[in-house]
Amino acid sequence: HPGGVARERFLVLMREWAGRGADLDDPYDPALVRSAPREIRHLLADALAEEATARAVSSLGIGYTIWSNVEADRSKLDHVVLGPAGLFAVMSEDWGSPVRLVRGELQGDGIQPDEQPVRSLSRAAKALGRSVRVRFTARLIVVPDDALDEPVTHIGKPGEAAVVQLSALPRVLRDGLSGGQRLSIEDVFDVRTRLQNGIRFV
């Protein structure tokens, strides 16, 4: 379930923070969430972001396959999306503040100094690609529309990676980042088979 891992961790930490694993009438109560520590608020925001991404992808139709909460070495990929424009490794994030690209890495008020979202996504995608013998077309970090000035901000070489507004995600998944060569039906089938056989979930 998209966002499931983050939601479960959110509920555990929220109950611990509220008092020794107490049963809460409504752990999602807005006032309660606002008063919780940053780490707990971020887990809920992440879960909601992952779910929003899954909804955006599901609107693309039967030509697309999405896997969520995919194990990748000692990390995870929020989503792996396969369609005619290629294979995409997707991270969904909501840091609660605008983000910007600085020397190839994301920065923003909500991003902790030791966080490296771009590098983390790259490492996870490479690990999964090696384990199931597939090559990712591009890596995408999806953020809320109000967190990014432009619909798409490219990272590194054109076509390899980008930070994408949520509303722009369906277009990017349909067209690709660089408008390059599309996968044939045979290629899509082969990649899907390898993923189905090799993917493990968190």
Side-chain angles (χ1 to χ4, degrees), residues 87-103:
L87 180 64
F88 299 87
V90 182
M91 175 189 291
S92 304
E93 286 286 356
D94 182 355
W95 286 283
S97 67
V99 297
R100 62 194 178 279
L101 200 62
V102 179
R103 293 189 295 278

Side-chain angles (χ1 to χ4, degrees), residues 140 148-154 161-165 168-169 171-172 177:
L140 306 175
L148 195 65
D149 289 337
E150 300 290 334
V152 179
T153 298
H154 290 268
V163 191
V164 180
Q165 291 179 349
L169 179 63
R171 173 173 58 82
V172 170
L177 278 179

Side-chain angles (χ1 to χ4, degrees), residues 39-185:
E39 179 190 1
I40 296 176
R41 296 196 311 272
H42 184 57
L43 280 169
L44 179 57
D46 270 358
L48 296 174
E50 289 179 35
E51 291 162 8
T53 295
R55 284 194 299 273
V57 175
S58 67
S59 69
L60 291 171
I62 61 172
Y64 291 79
T65 306
I66 179 172
W67 296 264
S68 298
N69 298 319
V70 175
E71 185 179 290
D73 195 16
R74 290 179 294 277
S75 183
K76 86 172 179 92
L77 288 171
D78 293 340
H79 314 280
V80 173
V81 182
L82 175 64
L87 180 64
F88 299 87
V90 182
M91 175 189 291
S92 304
E93 286 286 356
D94 182 355
W95 286 283
S97 67
V99 297
R100 62 194 178 279
L101 200 62
V102 179
R103 293 189 295 278
E105 188 54 85
L106 279 181
Q107 294 185 4
D109 291 344
I111 300 177
Q112 297 300 295
D114 60 342
E115 281 188 78
Q116 294 184 317
V118 173
R119 289 170 180 80
S120 295
L121 175 58
S122 179
R123 283 194 297 266
K126 285 179 182 176
L128 181 62
R130 283 194 301 268
S131 69
V132 297
R133 294 179 297 114
V134 297
R135 184 181 182 87
F136 281 96
T137 307
R139 304 178 304 278
L140 306 175
I141 297 178
V142 183
V143 297
D145 286 8
D146 59 2
L148 195 65
D149 289 337
E150 300 290 334
V152 179
T153 298
H154 290 268
I155 304 169
K157 295 179 183 176
E160 288 189 352
V163 191
V164 180
Q165 291 179 349
L166 177 61
S167 64
L169 179 63
R171 173 173 58 82
V172 170
L173 293 175
R174 278 194 302 266
D175 301 339
L177 278 179
S178 59
Q181 185 176 0
R182 299 173 73 78
L183 297 181
S184 68
I185 293 175

